[in-house]
Amino acid sequence: STAQSHQQHQRVGVAQICDTSAKSAVSLRSGISTRTNEAGGQQPASAADDIEAEAKNEVSLQSAVLIQKWYRRYKARLEARRQTSWMIYQSIEYSSESSQLHLYNFFNDMLRLGGGGVGGASANAGFAERLRQKSIEEEDEELLEHTGYSEMTVERNYKGPKLSFPLSATHVQLMIDSFRQGGLLHARYLLQLLHETRSVLKTRQNIQLVSSSISKQLDLVIKMLSLNANFHAPILKVTVVGDLHGKLEDLLIVLYKNGLPDVTNPYIFNGDFVDRGPNSVEILAILFACQLVWPSAVFLNRGNHEDQVMNLRYGFIKEVQYKYRQTANKLLNMFSEVFAWMPLATVIDDRVFVTHGGISDKVDLDRVRRLDRHRYVSVLRPPVAKSSDEKVDYMEWRQVLDLLWSDPKAQQGCKPNTFRGGGCYFGPNVTRAFLDKYGYKLLVRSHECKQDGWEFCHEDTVLTVFSASNYYEEGSNKGAYVKFDSECRPRLVQFVASRRDKLPKGQRLSSVEESALRDLRGKILASKSELIDAFLRLDPEKTGAIRVSQWCSTMEEKLRLELPWRTLRPHLAQLNKDGRLLYMSTFQRAAIQHRLSGGKEMANSVTETVYKNREELETIFRIMDKDNSGQISLEEFKESCRILCQATQRQMTEDEVADMAKSLDLNSDGYIDFNEFLEAFRIVDYQRQESQKRLLGDSVQSSVSE
């Protein structure tokens, strides 16, 4: 890549300087001391010349050593900054997932208690009913009734790709070309595509099988053609693609570099196609179309984000509502249905096991093969007994949860994944036992963003592949995919979908670092009241200063983020002349703002509470929004706030909730557009604003002078 090339040139340049300095020094030291006379001949040098040459030797050697030291320190500082930024991004991401699981544990408690709690059973009964998972018969009946496409018409002015079924490779290429230009597939075609995909996925096993050699049905043809001296049998390589997360550019790069799927170029797409990025719909449309055109060459594994509950929070539902306003409800029902039918794992040549998350010491593949995967529309919703006599098989649900949510760790054993809040951490001994039991050589998984796009662990028996480059911020990470040959040897391919490749590494890193710090400041401001209370308890004399160690421990305890707080301190808080930390400076650089209708400012206490729990509130809102219109009534908004207070054990008064609801009803029609409400929150960076003002002032002053 361009970035790698730039880095290599930089490294070579420094190496050449060091090499030149060292060579000149060695040549001066090892050569015979001579000097040139006026006639051009050489004669022995004097003692003074020898001393001068020796001094030059020392200067050259010292220069080389200094340059090497400087470069190593420069590289070490860049790596330390990169690692710190990475830790911030990952800690905030996993903290968000953990809070999502905590919220759904609360919802599951509501279901078991029949909707009781704060406000009484009747207050939450309607909400609990919306959480209830319907039976398969109920879902099939509703699906056919509410997701039909035969009566939908395609407008004459529609300029996107036009599909006719059965699909062909031409249709796939038309979709790719259209999506690359920002086109949108018509809802009628998308619904039919989803129905066709559902029919194919229903025929797939929970654990799919794929071969890295040519399809068996073509073996005879290959042997016959091999008699022709000019024929060379194709060398098949199975390609595994990791998380894409709505980043269409990454998928297009993979297909461009590696080619479209066909019987000689099979693909396994290992889940997490949606959420976070802006083009989840387009990615799914391309992958589903490829599976219909090349059913024996495209294998889709379910990821933890192919889940109705995760989609409530991380952007996919919002994307569908924005792109397909009138048909969003139909499409979302069908997407959830298709996600539930996606297989859970794929095996390559009985040697490589590919699943999205990982394994645990409880995973039993015989049991996985037998379970009904479709009943888990959301893996975050454990099965609930419909009567006191019914027994719930939690171990079956656990199989699915562990396959989609688990992460490998260096420590031995298996324990709950407290960082994410779901699945487990599995150690090298768990991996070895699993591989030995089923005769596999390698476990391939995705689920975790890696800086290089891939990572081996557990003595090279676990490979993580992540294909969404620039996942946290442009320049934050590379994407990768892996190709397996007939011997199941992996070959990794890296790529970056970025327009900043030509920027120096330090400049790209500064952008990533600032973005990470901005996200961290948002987390700090969301817990401002709790942090101030804790700081005041450590400062009984109200001096405004505490020890740095006290500040670090408080930040870790209240934010629940395991970060190098001492390293981050210069970016977040100031010291006084005695070296003690001025704790209120932690909040001076930025503030949370939310503008209500008419420019009215929301009360600080309410702003902080709502901002801190905005993701949980959005999840509740979207559950309330039964028709996926993006709007809820004032009463539904009030009920959402009550449920939020109950789930988070924080309080907002009825008056505060009522005032907020009235202010958000911009049209006075009794409904709230909660997308607009949530997007109105922003972090105001005062230091950045001042810097921009100074730059603007300097620019204006320069223009006036000219």
Side-chain angles (χ1 to χ4, degrees):
S1 67
T2 309
Q4 286 177 312
S5 175
H6 175 83
Q7 188 176 346
Q8 287 170 353
H9 285 313
Q10 195 178 38
R11 198 179 295 125
V12 168
V14 174
Q16 286 175 341
I17 293 171
C18 298
D19 191 49
T20 303
S21 301
K23 281 182 179 178
S24 62
V26 170
S27 64
L28 283 168
R29 177 170 286 174
S30 60
I32 300 171
S33 296
T34 60
R35 64 180 178 180
T36 305
N37 58 22
E38 293 178 359
Q42 290 185 335
Q43 60 185 33
S46 64
D49 290 335
D50 285 341
I51 293 172
E52 183 180 353
E54 187 66 27
K56 288 181 179 178
N57 292 349
E58 292 300 324
V59 170
S60 297
L61 286 171
Q62 288 174 9
S63 299
V65 170
L66 284 173
I67 291 170
Q68 288 174 340
K69 281 183 178 179
W70 168 83
Y71 185 64
R72 288 178 185 136
R73 287 173 182 168
Y74 168 75
K75 293 288 288 181
R77 283 196 300 271
L78 284 183
E79 181 61 23
R81 289 169 58 194
R82 188 174 77 118
Q83 290 289 348
T84 302
S85 300
W86 189 259
M87 289 179 69
I88 294 172
Y89 281 129
Q90 206 163 57
S91 296
I92 292 175
E93 179 190 5
Y94 291 168
S95 173
S96 174
E97 290 185 348
S98 179
S99 65
Q100 174 79 341
L101 286 165
H102 171 77
L103 182 65
Y104 257 81
N105 288 336
F106 165 75
F107 290 164
N108 292 325
D109 290 340
M110 281 183 64
L111 285 172
R112 282 195 290 270
L113 295 171
V118 174
S122 60
N124 293 333
F127 183 75
E129 175 60 25
R130 293 175 195 182
L131 287 172
R132 186 178 71 84
Q133 224 166 271
K134 296 179 175 65
S135 67
I136 294 174
E137 293 78 13
E138 288 177 305
E139 286 183 347
D140 281 345
E141 186 178 341
E142 288 189 8
L143 194 70
L144 294 173
E145 182 182 351
H146 297 299
T147 62
Y149 55 84
S150 57
E151 295 182 2
M152 296 176 65
T153 58
V154 179
E155 298 80 8
R156 289 185 178 181
N157 60 353
Y158 170 68
K159 296 180 180 179
K162 296 179 181 179
L163 306 184
S164 58
F165 292 80
L167 296 179
S168 66
T170 303
H171 292 116
V172 174
Q173 192 60 56
L174 282 172
M175 291 167 63
I176 290 174
D177 294 341
S178 175
F179 296 159
R180 185 183 283 117
Q181 301 300 322
L184 191 66
L185 185 64
H186 194 279
R188 196 255 186 237
Y189 297 132
L190 184 54
L191 271 172
Q192 187 170 0
L193 179 62
L194 290 170
H195 276 277
E196 296 289 336
T197 301
R198 175 179 181 262
S199 298
V200 171
L201 289 176
K202 287 178 71 173
T203 66
R204 297 293 175 98
Q205 300 296 315
N206 291 339
I207 301 177
Q208 307 171 100
L209 302 177
V210 62
S211 174
S212 61
S213 60
I214 196 72
S215 299
K216 292 181 180 178
Q217 61 266 33
L218 296 180
D219 282 348
L220 182 60
V221 178
I222 292 296
K223 288 176 183 176
M224 292 173 63
L225 291 173
S226 295
L227 298 174
N228 183 343
N230 296 322
F231 177 80
H232 299 283
I235 300 174
L236 280 195
K237 293 185 178 179
V238 179
T239 302
V240 180
V241 179
D243 297 32
L244 289 166
H245 278 300
K247 300 177 81 64
L248 178 63
E249 197 172 355
D250 291 309
L251 174 61
L252 297 183
I253 286 175
V254 172
L255 296 178
Y256 173 77
K257 290 169 70 73
N258 200 56
L260 286 172
D262 61 38
V263 72
T264 65
N265 189 28
Y267 278 85
I268 300 170
F269 293 94
N270 201 25
D272 276 13
F273 315 116
V274 303
D275 284 334
R276 302 190 188 279
N279 297 111
S280 299
V281 172
E282 289 77 11
I283 285 176
L284 289 175
I286 291 172
L287 296 184
F288 292 163
C290 287
Q291 185 170 60
L292 294 178
V293 175
W294 301 285
S296 62
V298 176
F299 302 85
L300 306 178
N301 285 345
R302 185 178 183 178
N304 67 307
H305 277 264
E306 279 68 64
D307 187 298
Q308 188 181 54
V309 171
M310 296 297 285
N311 302 154
L312 289 168
R313 181 167 189 159
Y314 292 106
F316 179 58
I317 288 179
K318 185 177 176 181
E319 178 188 338
V320 174
Q321 288 174 344
Y322 176 76
K323 292 178 178 178
Y324 298 93
R325 296 183 184 276
Q326 303 301 321
T327 53
N329 200 33
K330 281 186 175 185
L331 289 167
L332 288 169
N333 285 333
M334 271 310 299
F335 276 121
S336 293
E337 174 71 6
V338 171
F339 292 165
W341 279 112
M342 283 183 176
L344 303 173
T346 303
V347 176
I348 306 173
D349 288 341
D350 293 324
R351 286 186 281 185
V352 179
F353 184 77
V354 184
T355 192
H356 178 72
I359 57 173
S360 72
D361 54 2
K362 300 289 191 301
V363 168
D364 179 352
L365 295 189
D366 294 327
R367 190 164 193 167
V368 172
R369 290 186 178 95
R370 294 193 305 268
L371 63 80
D372 176 14
R373 67 181 185 269
H374 176 256
R375 67 183 299 208
Y376 301 105
V377 176
S378 172
V379 183
L380 298 183
R381 295 180 186 173
V384 178
K386 296 174 183 174
S387 66
S388 56
D389 298 329
E390 184 182 357
K391 291 184 179 180
V392 176
D393 190 350
Y394 287 105
M395 187 53 68
E396 179 184 282
W397 164 70
R398 186 64 194 278
Q399 304 290 312
V400 182
L401 183 72
D402 287 348
L403 286 173
L404 301 191
W405 277 86
S406 297
D407 293 312
K409 284 294 177 185
Q411 294 76 18
Q412 302 287 355
C414 192
K415 62 179 183 178
N417 191 332
T418 53
F419 206 28
R420 287 188 192 268
C424 71
Y425 293 131
F426 60 97
N429 60 325
V430 176
T431 299
R432 176 47 54 199
F434 175 83
L435 296 178
D436 290 346
K437 180 178 179 179
Y438 296 106
Y440 301 140
K441 302 299 181 186
L442 181 67
L443 167 63
V444 178
R445 40 92 62 178
S446 301
H447 195 43
E448 285 185 288
C449 182
K450 298 297 179 183
Q451 292 179 344
D452 292 320
W454 61 274
E455 182 180 88
F456 275 105
C457 64
H458 293 184
E459 298 180 341
D460 293 346
T461 59
V462 175
L463 170 62
T464 299
V465 180
F466 196 87
S467 302
S469 65
N470 306 307
Y471 178 60
Y472 294 120
E473 174 71 14
E474 195 159 357
S476 63
N477 67 284
K478 298 174 184 175
Y481 57 91
V482 59
K483 298 170 71 69
F484 288 96
D485 62 17
S486 58
E487 299 299 320
C488 285
R489 290 173 298 210
R491 174 176 167 261
L492 288 146
V493 180
Q494 292 177 307
F495 61 89
V496 178
S498 176
R499 299 175 182 84
R500 285 180 161 183
D501 289 347
K502 296 182 180 180
L503 291 177
K505 184 176 180 180
Q507 192 172 338
R508 279 186 283 123
L509 181 57
S510 295
S511 175
V512 172
E513 185 178 47
E514 183 54 38
S515 176
L517 289 170
R518 190 164 56 249
D519 290 349
L520 182 57
R521 290 187 191 103
K523 294 286 287 185
I524 291 170
L525 291 171
S527 298
K528 181 177 178 179
S529 298
E530 292 178 49
L531 288 168
I532 290 176
D533 289 343
F535 292 149
L536 290 173
R537 285 194 295 272
L538 295 170
D539 182 28
E541 297 180 4
K542 306 294 187 294
T543 63
I546 56 176
R547 295 196 305 273
V548 173
S549 59
Q550 292 176 317
W551 180 83
C552 292
S553 59
T554 301
M555 297 294 282
E556 184 164 331
E557 178 189 352
K558 296 301 178 183
L559 298 181
R560 297 176 185 175
L561 298 175
E562 296 180 7
L563 295 172
W565 291 106
R566 264 182 201 278
T567 304
L568 291 168
R569 196 280 311 159
H571 301 283
L572 300 173
Q574 301 170 5
L575 303 179
N576 63 15
K577 60 182 180 181
D578 299 323
R580 291 173 67 81
L581 190 139
L582 302 168
Y583 51 81
M584 291 306 295
S585 66
T586 309
F587 317 105
Q588 284 179 354
R589 174 161 177 172
I592 304 169
Q593 285 186 3
H594 187 289
R595 290 284 176 182
L596 301 178
S597 61
K600 181 182 175 183
E601 194 73 44
M602 188 186 289
N604 288 337
S605 59
V606 180
T607 303
E608 184 180 322
T609 300
V610 176
Y611 180 79
K612 183 169 186 175
N613 301 286
R614 67 197 184 283
E615 292 178 332
E616 289 85 350
L617 193 58
E618 181 175 5
T619 301
I620 297 169
F621 280 173
R622 296 199 185 281
I623 293 170
M624 289 287 192
D625 181 24
K626 203 168 185 181
D627 63 353
N628 292 302
S629 64
Q631 292 185 328
I632 57 174
S633 69
L634 293 179
E635 286 306 314
E636 287 174 331
F637 176 82
K638 292 175 184 177
E639 186 181 350
S640 298
C641 291
R642 283 195 294 269
I643 292 168
L644 175 66
C645 291
Q646 184 180 350
T648 60
Q649 297 182 343
R650 291 182 175 86
Q651 294 301 319
M652 285 187 284
T653 67
E654 288 291 329
D655 290 341
E656 287 175 332
V657 173
D659 288 344
M660 190 173 10
K662 289 176 184 176
S663 299
L664 292 169
D665 183 10
L666 304 180
N667 310 335
S668 299
D669 61 354
Y671 286 89
I672 294 169
D673 183 334
F674 58 83
N675 288 327
E676 185 178 319
F677 165 68
L678 292 167
E679 288 170 1
F681 283 102
R682 61 195 181 104
I683 300 295
V684 181
D685 191 331
Y686 298 129
Q687 184 170 324
R688 193 173 183 182
Q689 284 183 346
E690 288 300 320
S691 176
Q692 289 172 344
K693 286 179 183 177
R694 283 196 299 271
L695 286 172
L696 181 62
D698 292 344
S699 176
V700 171
Q701 184 63 41
S702 175
S703 300
V704 171
S705 299
E706 290 174 3

